[in-house]
Amino acid sequence: MAGSFNPASCRSLLLPLRLRLRLLLLLLAAAVSGATGSYDPKAFCSKTTDVASCLRVYPTLPDDVAKSQDNEQLYTRLYDYCGVKIYEASSLAESMIATTTAADPVIIATFFPQWKGDEAITTKTHPGKCLLSCNKTIGDVDAIQTCGNTYMEDRPPMIHQNLTVLFHGGHPLPLCKSGCPERSSSEGEAILATKFKYIWTLLDLLEAVLPEYLSETATGAKHKTTTPSPAAASTAP
């Protein structure tokens, strides 16, 4: 009969509709998942002054840094990692200087006449220019990190300002970055220079992260000062 109701034909129409709804829900779930997991800290390498160096160094970062979930995590963890690497390089430089700097022969002869002309005094050599340059530059970047030992929460704007000058101020690169090691450098100096170049790349990445981190923290602070608390709102006239 032309006007009769056919349950089978009705089910055949509903089935594609259910499939379409299920597909739509799956697509929406995928979109939400993609949005929440879209943070990519490695993308900051594209904002550094040396993209190729950043991309080489990035795989060597600790997992907690490389897999940061937001700008705050990336800044704080990268800052701490920079501090560790600066300390390692500084300790190496200081130990090298301590073992290469010759004692003053005049003082030695005055207080210990029996040691005058001792081979142990004459075999020590003065630090090379790469060692001295790297030691000074490591001290400079350590000063940028610590900001005169100010409170941690006060440091980010100062670090940002100093790193901006360091990377975008038009100053020549420090010798430890541009010219070390050289032919006359010792094996220790070569290691120290390599460590400093690694630190330089980390700081370059940190400088790229800071504008985003500071922008977020400034927005959060502004929101806190302009949005009244429920208690304040209830007592307002």
Side-chain angles (χ1 to χ4, degrees):
M1 185 180 294
S4 62
F5 177 73
N6 189 338
S9 62
C10 182
R11 285 195 298 271
S12 65
L13 291 173
L14 287 175
L15 184 59
L17 178 60
R18 289 173 180 168
L19 288 175
R20 286 197 295 271
L21 288 173
R22 182 177 297 178
L23 179 60
L24 179 60
L25 290 173
L26 288 173
L27 290 174
L28 287 173
V32 171
S33 175
T36 56
S38 61
Y39 184 77
D40 181 15
K42 189 177 181 180
F44 279 104
C45 280
S46 65
K47 299 182 179 182
T48 60
T49 62
D50 189 345
V51 177
S53 180
C54 182
L55 292 175
R56 284 195 303 271
V57 164
Y58 201 89
T60 70
L61 298 178
D63 280 349
D64 68 325
V65 178
K67 297 180 181 179
S68 298
Q69 297 300 307
D70 53 45
N71 293 328
E72 181 179 6
Q73 278 190 4
L74 181 58
Y75 164 73
T76 54
R77 294 173 180 181
L78 183 59
Y79 173 88
D80 290 342
Y81 185 59
C82 284
V84 170
K85 291 301 173 182
I86 290 172
Y87 176 78
E88 289 177 359
S90 178
S91 299
L92 175 61
E94 289 174 1
S95 65
M96 289 174 61
I97 289 175
T99 56
T100 57
T101 303
D104 190 336
V106 175
I107 296 176
I108 291 293
T110 301
F111 291 96
F112 306 98
Q114 69 275 22
W115 290 357
K116 186 175 181 179
D118 194 294
E119 291 183 2
I121 299 172
T122 58
T123 53
K124 286 187 176 181
T125 58
H126 289 283
K129 64 179 182 180
C130 273
L131 174 54
L132 292 175
S133 171
C134 288
N135 183 57
K136 179 184 181 303
T137 312
I138 290 167
D140 291 340
V141 296
D142 181 58
I144 289 176
Q145 282 280 99
T146 57
C147 299
N149 294 318
T150 56
Y151 290 114
M152 290 294 295
E153 60 268 23
D154 295 331
R155 292 182 187 181
M158 291 184 281
I159 294 173
H160 180 225
Q161 181 179 2
N162 289 325
L163 288 182
T164 299
V165 171
L166 187 68
F167 287 98
H168 305 286
H171 305 291
L173 291 173
L175 179 64
C176 193
K177 171 74 168 90
S178 61
C180 294
E182 55 179 14
R183 290 182 181 179
S184 62
S185 293
S186 65
E187 182 179 354
E189 284 179 298
I191 293 172
L192 184 61
T194 300
K195 284 181 175 293
F196 177 75
K197 290 173 183 178
Y198 185 81
I199 292 168
W200 186 267
T201 301
L202 295 180
L203 293 174
D204 196 6
L205 178 59
L206 188 66
E207 195 275 331
V209 174
L210 269 164
E212 295 294 330
Y213 168 71
L214 290 172
S215 176
E216 288 181 357
T217 54
T219 302
K222 183 178 179 181
H223 179 73
K224 288 180 181 179
T225 57
T226 56
T227 303
S229 64
S234 63
T235 57

